Amino acid sequence: MGDWTALLPHLSDADRRQVETGLAETDERIRAVLRIVSTHYWGSSVRNVPEWSTVESWSAEERRRAALAMHRESASASTPTALNDVVRALATEDVPFTRADLLWCLHVAAEGACFDNGAHLELPAVIAPRLTAAELADLVPALSAMSSELVDDYFIAAAPRRRAVMLLGRAIDRATGSRLPSSLLHHGDTFGPAVRADLGTDLAAPGVPELLEHCAALDKPAATAKWLRRLDELLVAAHGGRQVVRRLLDAFAAHGRSVHDDTDRLLRGLVWALSRERDERATELLARATTGAASAPRQAAGFPYASRTAIAAVRLLAERDGDVPLRTLARLAVTVRNKAVRSRVQTALTQLGARRGWSLSEVMELAVDDHGLGPDGRLRRTVGPYEATVEIVGERARLVFARDAVALKGVPAQVKQSHEDDLTELRGLVKRVGATLVSERQRVEGLLSEERVWSYPDWSSRLLDHPVTGTYGRRLLWETSTDGRRWTAGLPQRNGDGWTIVDRDGHALAHGSVRLWHPARASTAEVLAWRAHLVATGLTQPFKQAFREVYLRTPAEEKTDTYSNRFAAHILRYRQANALLRARGWQAGYLGTWDGGYHSEATKVFGGGAWRASFHHELVDDQEERRYDVEYCSTDQVRFARHDGKTWQPARIIDVPPLVFTEAMRDVDLFVGVTSIATDPQWADRGENRFSAYWHRTAVAELTPSAQVRRDALARLLPRMAIADRVDLAERYLRVRGNLLTYRIHLGSGNIMMEPDDRYLCIVAARGRTGRLHLPFDDDPMLATILSKAIMLAADDRITDPTVLSQLRRAD
């Protein structure tokens, strides 16, 4: 047990004899009624046992002794949670418990074993609030220490722990005269003590403690009508209650850390209290509290700071008017990783859009925050004698300073010293713009799986003029049509104050409906022409579009009907694969050597929320003893489901829309192509390793669609490089003639073989070393890896790395 046991007052022999008088006889009687043994279990309340009517007829004194007997049982044996209910049923209000009873219960609990059912806490917690302040005076140190221990105890079941903390807190408050319940805003996190110190006497003002207790008593995300009526009464009666609610939530929104479960429950009630206010400031505060609750530490993105509060606040925020709820929920839809919170955000956005007549995709589009930036992606502000500019450069936000129109390299010392608040605000803005850029890139790329069509004005304002979205939209291919049947592709071009779409020859296309171009809807000739155009003009797209892979259904997939095995039976480096899954917006449980951890189903929504893909993968057992982390996983089926109301219904492969199918399969191909052990050149010689056969088979396999696109990109890039006369592009390989040897680089895995005996060459090349060569997209790291290896091998006589040189000598 904890330190509280050392603070217990002595229990005299006389008091012990008084408490235990008749206890043995009553113990036998209550056991006979309940037919109890140490492992007995009641599936429902003991009050439903027929024999309990006999116990209810017992005198209060006999029920007192029975409660004490059951307390001793709970503290001395591994008993079920049913004893919690038994003790509560016996310890009714008319039972005359004494200070000696409480002290005896505490000593029994201290001397016995502590079990996670919390039954040993029930009786002491029930007795303590019934005693007078004088009877409790010398017990306060022990009760306070016990309560503190319970606050930090995550092994005891939540319900009995909360009940014990609340009841013990009432006893402590009675003895100390404290107005603010000690069970609220306790030291279980840093938030509670901080707001107690900051708000001081405001928290103890007349009516406020009662209001806070009522808020903490809300058991579910949705409040009942009865609970709300009482809330309204307390908000009126509490002195400054509404202001306290706002100050507490404002402090939490700025807290930026996880809170204790008890605090989370209190905050959940507080957001309901705030929701009774309909002004704009209340909406903004509710939005900030929602964001704060749904946020999570970077190293544990699936665990929000206050998940209970987040779930309730999301629903309340969606019911309010204005742009703030829309933008807040849209941002959370792409940043939240917790499955429960994220699903509620999606539901809230759908409901919000339905009330305003928008689809979910349109809701997300309209909600993109511009952060006050102008159409040029800049916000300028005067800070002392300097001009500060927050601007988007490429796909990043940055803060720069200038004086008298002369740009400065860093932050001026005067700004750091005299304008600290302005600097903090501007840096915060840069961080927020950066977060929006990341989420918008993911959202815009997700449009490729939708059949969205925009009017020309909506397309211009939402996807080109917007300072954040336009960063991506202005570098993408779009199609326009005046009749909805014949579509012509082109690139956006500024035309006076507006935009037009121009073809490859620079001719403006007629204004009409607009949709995002996808190679799956284009002819091979058109795709190749646009690829050549991008390379020739030096345009870098934010993600693969013209060079995007297309995945068509195969006869084998039509035969399996409900699933695809196209990417099954690969061995992936699990931690890297899991990180990439999450980066691409897939939700998956983490694999591990625990019950239910040997299989995971990663899911992602496509087609504007109408379709869901599932990628099944399994843990590959590690043969090393005493190693519990997951190093590898194996891939399995890809399945699809259609959204049907509130459920997902399994779908046949042939029913999946082509854009949804190709986008989902592209992601899975990416996971395999990037994280397969076949892409690791250091796997070439691992002796008897059980994955060696897979590595050798996959490292030289036929090219997947992603590798085929990579080959096409290389065919256009290599003639522009200085090594053009030293390379030849074959079906699966890039052949490089060095000054010492000739090499073949596999276009899928990036692995190198030396001619003439096909000996493997292990080179872990630094990515991105391709000189000044322009790449038409940035989201294929293998392309840059292959090019950097080719550049190195073309000048193999200048290699100085001893590891590489030793391999080259062995090949001579």
Side-chain angles (χ1 to χ4, degrees):
M1 301 298 289
D3 292 337
W4 66 270
T5 60
L7 300 174
L8 284 174
H10 175 67
L11 177 65
S12 68
D13 291 340
D15 283 344
R16 184 182 292 275
R17 284 194 299 271
Q18 177 188 346
V19 173
E20 294 180 352
T21 298
L23 207 60
E25 294 81 359
T26 307
D27 190 4
E28 292 181 3
R29 290 192 65 191
I30 189 64
R31 287 175 183 272
V33 172
L34 298 173
R35 298 186 180 91
I36 186 173
V37 293
S38 62
T39 57
H40 187 74
Y41 175 75
W42 293 280
S44 60
S45 173
V46 70
R47 295 175 178 85
N48 296 328
V49 177
E51 292 86 349
W52 191 253
S53 59
T54 302
V55 178
E56 291 177 335
S57 67
W58 291 358
S59 67
E61 175 59 26
E62 193 159 15
R63 280 183 278 119
R64 168 188 160 273
R65 290 197 297 268
L68 293 171
M70 290 297 97
H71 171 70
R72 184 166 58 186
E73 171 73 11
S74 70
S76 60
S78 180
T79 52
T81 56
L83 276 183
N84 301 49
D85 182 62
V86 171
V87 172
R88 283 197 298 272
L90 289 167
T92 54
E93 289 290 338
D94 61 327
V95 175
F97 290 109
T98 65
R99 178 190 176 281
D101 291 337
L102 175 58
L103 187 55
W104 180 87
C105 287
L106 293 172
H107 275 279
V108 169
E111 294 163 3
C114 177
F115 300 102
D116 59 8
N117 57 33
H120 66 292
L121 305 173
E122 288 289 345
L123 195 55
V126 167
I127 297 174
R130 299 185 185 181
L131 303 182
T132 65
E135 291 174 313
L136 291 166
D138 66 334
L139 292 172
V140 167
L143 294 178
S144 297
M146 184 182 191
S147 181
S148 295
E149 180 184 299
L150 292 174
V151 162
D152 296 328
D153 196 329
Y154 288 92
F155 293 98
I156 295 177
R161 184 200 63 78
R162 285 199 311 274
R163 174 179 164 82
V165 169
M166 180 185 67
L167 293 175
L168 291 174
R170 289 179 183 174
I172 295 167
D173 298 338
R174 174 178 294 177
T176 59
S178 174
R179 280 277 302 147
L180 179 63
S182 57
S183 60
L184 301 178
L185 300 170
H186 50 60
H187 75 278
D189 53 40
T190 57
F191 176 73
V195 294
R196 277 179 174 260
D198 186 42
L199 272 65
T201 57
D202 290 346
L203 294 174
V208 173
E210 292 77 10
L211 171 63
L212 297 180
E213 279 195 307
H214 183 71
C215 288
L218 181 60
D219 290 330
K220 297 180 180 180
T224 64
K226 180 180 179 181
W227 188 90
L228 289 173
R229 284 195 298 270
R230 180 57 180 158
L231 172 66
D232 291 336
E233 294 171 0
L234 291 170
L235 284 170
V236 172
H239 180 72
R242 298 180 189 276
Q243 186 62 23
V244 168
V245 169
R246 294 194 183 216
R247 291 182 65 185
L248 283 170
L249 289 175
D250 188 63
F252 168 70
H255 184 59
R257 299 177 192 171
S258 297
V259 296
H260 192 279
D261 183 65
D262 294 343
T263 304
D264 192 3
R265 292 171 183 274
L266 170 62
L267 292 167
R268 178 171 61 184
L270 291 174
V271 296
W272 273 96
L274 180 65
S275 72
R276 312 304 278 176
E277 310 293 327
R278 305 305 301 181
D279 60 280
E280 187 175 336
R281 289 182 59 192
T283 300
E284 293 174 352
L285 176 54
L286 181 59
R288 288 192 290 113
T290 305
T291 301
S295 298
R298 181 177 299 178
Q299 65 274 20
F303 298 89
Y305 291 145
S307 59
R308 300 178 191 277
T309 303
I311 288 171
V314 161
R315 169 181 174 172
L316 295 170
L317 189 62
E319 296 173 353
R320 302 179 80 89
D321 298 328
D323 292 336
V324 171
L326 182 63
R327 290 179 176 175
T328 302
L329 293 172
R331 193 179 306 119
L332 293 178
V334 293
T335 58
V336 169
R337 293 291 176 261
N338 179 270
K339 190 173 182 179
V341 177
R342 186 170 183 144
S343 66
R344 283 162 173 83
V345 170
Q346 293 286 353
T347 299
L349 280 170
T350 301
Q351 294 172 347
L352 186 151
R355 288 200 306 273
R356 302 188 185 186
W358 302 326
S359 66
L360 176 60
S361 182
E362 191 171 12
V363 167
M364 300 291 290
E365 189 170 274
L366 292 167
V368 183
D369 199 341
D370 62 13
H371 299 286
L373 303 178
D376 61 349
R378 293 184 173 86
L379 180 146
R380 296 178 175 84
R381 182 176 298 174
T382 300
V383 180
Y386 303 96
E387 181 183 66
T389 302
V390 174
E391 61 182 3
I392 296 174
V393 178
E395 296 181 26
R396 294 181 179 273
R398 70 176 186 179
L399 172 63
V400 294
F401 285 87
R403 184 166 187 173
D404 299 329
V406 177
L408 305 177
K409 290 185 177 180
V411 180
Q414 184 178 346
V415 172
K416 295 179 180 178
Q417 296 168 1
S418 304
H419 302 277
E420 185 177 354
D421 291 343
D422 290 331
L423 181 59
T424 299
E425 181 183 349
L426 288 168
R427 282 175 169 169
L429 177 59
V430 170
K431 185 176 181 180
R432 293 193 297 274
V433 173
T436 303
L437 281 165
V438 171
S439 62
E440 265 304 88
R441 185 188 188 281
Q442 184 176 337
R443 186 191 70 82
V444 173
E445 187 175 10
L447 293 173
L448 286 166
S449 72
E450 298 184 40
E451 294 286 356
R452 283 286 304 280
V453 176
W454 293 264
S455 68
Y456 219 87
D458 286 346
W459 168 74
S460 299
S461 62
R462 300 178 188 178
L463 295 152
L464 301 183
D465 286 330
H466 193 285
V468 178
T469 310
T471 299
Y472 307 108
R474 293 189 286 268
R475 292 181 288 152
L476 293 174
L477 285 164
W478 301 88
E479 290 182 298
T480 183
S481 174
T482 56
D483 58 10
R485 295 191 304 273
R486 291 173 297 177
W487 295 84
T488 307
L491 288 164
Q493 180 176 290
R494 174 69 73 176
N495 182 18
D497 294 332
W499 292 89
T500 190
I501 297 178
V502 298
D503 61 18
R504 289 186 296 275
D505 296 324
H507 299 143
L509 303 177
H511 290 195
S513 299
V514 181
R515 69 182 186 185
L516 191 57
W517 183 88
H518 196 295
R521 288 191 295 235
S523 66
T524 301
E526 182 183 5
V527 171
L528 295 178
W530 277 115
R531 289 178 181 179
H533 182 76
L534 293 183
V535 173
T537 58
L539 177 65
T540 299
Q541 296 195 291
F543 44 78
K544 284 185 181 179
Q545 188 191 26
F547 283 86
R548 202 169 191 84
E549 306 85 354
V550 174
Y551 299 78
L552 304 176
R553 289 190 298 267
T554 64
E557 287 162 337
E558 293 178 356
K559 184 176 181 180
T560 55
D561 193 31
T562 58
Y563 61 89
S564 168
N565 271 333
R566 187 184 305 200
F567 297 108
H570 285 274
I571 306 298
L572 311 185
R573 299 184 293 274
Y574 179 62
R575 279 166 289 184
Q576 185 183 8
N578 184 262
L580 186 55
L581 276 166
R582 297 180 185 280
R584 293 292 301 171
W586 291 70
Q587 302 292 308
Y590 203 83
L591 293 175
T593 53
W594 51 76
D595 186 24
Y598 286 81
H599 173 269
S600 181
E601 177 185 2
T603 61
K604 181 179 178 180
V605 173
F606 292 89
W611 290 86
R612 186 182 71 181
S614 301
F615 170 44
H616 296 256
H617 52 289
E618 298 178 348
L619 177 149
V620 175
D621 287 328
D622 199 305
Q623 295 182 337
E624 295 183 27
E625 294 183 2
R626 298 182 180 179
R627 181 166 183 170
Y628 300 102
D629 60 320
V630 180
E631 192 169 2
Y632 307 108
C633 71
S634 62
T635 62
D636 205 338
Q637 300 172 356
V638 177
R639 292 177 176 267
F640 293 86
R642 189 200 309 264
H643 198 230
D644 182 16
K646 295 183 178 180
T647 63
W648 292 96
Q649 297 297 327
R652 303 174 65 193
I653 294 291
I654 60 173
D655 294 330
V656 180
L659 295 187
V660 171
F661 183 83
T662 186
E663 289 301 303
M665 300 303 281
R666 179 183 184 272
D667 269 3
V668 179
D669 189 6
L670 177 68
F671 305 148
V672 173
V674 173
T675 69
S676 169
I677 63 172
T679 64
D680 183 357
Q682 299 181 62
W683 268 90
D685 185 9
R686 294 221 176 179
E688 299 301 322
N689 191 282
R690 56 190 170 140
F691 300 140
S692 293
Y694 165 78
W695 189 93
H696 284 278
R697 181 177 67 253
T698 310
V700 295
E702 292 185 9
L703 300 186
T704 64
S706 62
Q708 291 171 5
V709 169
R710 188 178 303 131
R711 184 187 184 283
D712 184 61
L714 285 168
R716 301 174 188 283
L717 295 172
L718 290 171
R720 304 160 64 89
M721 297 179 66
I723 62 170
D725 60 339
R726 287 182 168 268
V727 296
D728 297 302
L729 194 60
E731 182 179 352
R732 299 188 195 181
Y733 300 93
L734 175 63
R735 191 166 182 267
V736 182
R737 293 183 297 278
N739 294 314
L740 302 177
L741 295 170
T742 299
Y743 313 87
R744 285 183 296 154
I745 306 175
H746 189 261
L747 302 180
S749 65
N751 289 316
I752 307 168
M753 288 171 286
M754 297 179 283
E755 296 184 351
D757 57 352
D758 285 350
R759 182 187 296 271
Y760 282 96
L761 174 62
C762 176
I763 296 179
V764 182
R767 293 176 179 173
R769 295 185 178 178
T770 57
R772 297 182 179 180
L773 181 67
H774 160 259
L775 299 180
F777 47 83
D778 295 326
D779 54 351
D780 183 3
M782 183 58 72
L783 175 62
T785 297
I786 290 173
L787 287 172
S788 66
K789 288 181 177 181
I791 293 170
M792 175 187 290
L793 295 173
D796 55 0
D797 57 335
R798 297 168 59 185
I799 294 175
T800 58
D801 187 296
T803 303
V804 178
L805 287 175
S806 64
Q807 296 177 78
L808 295 180
R809 293 190 190 103
R810 288 199 301 268
D812 290 342

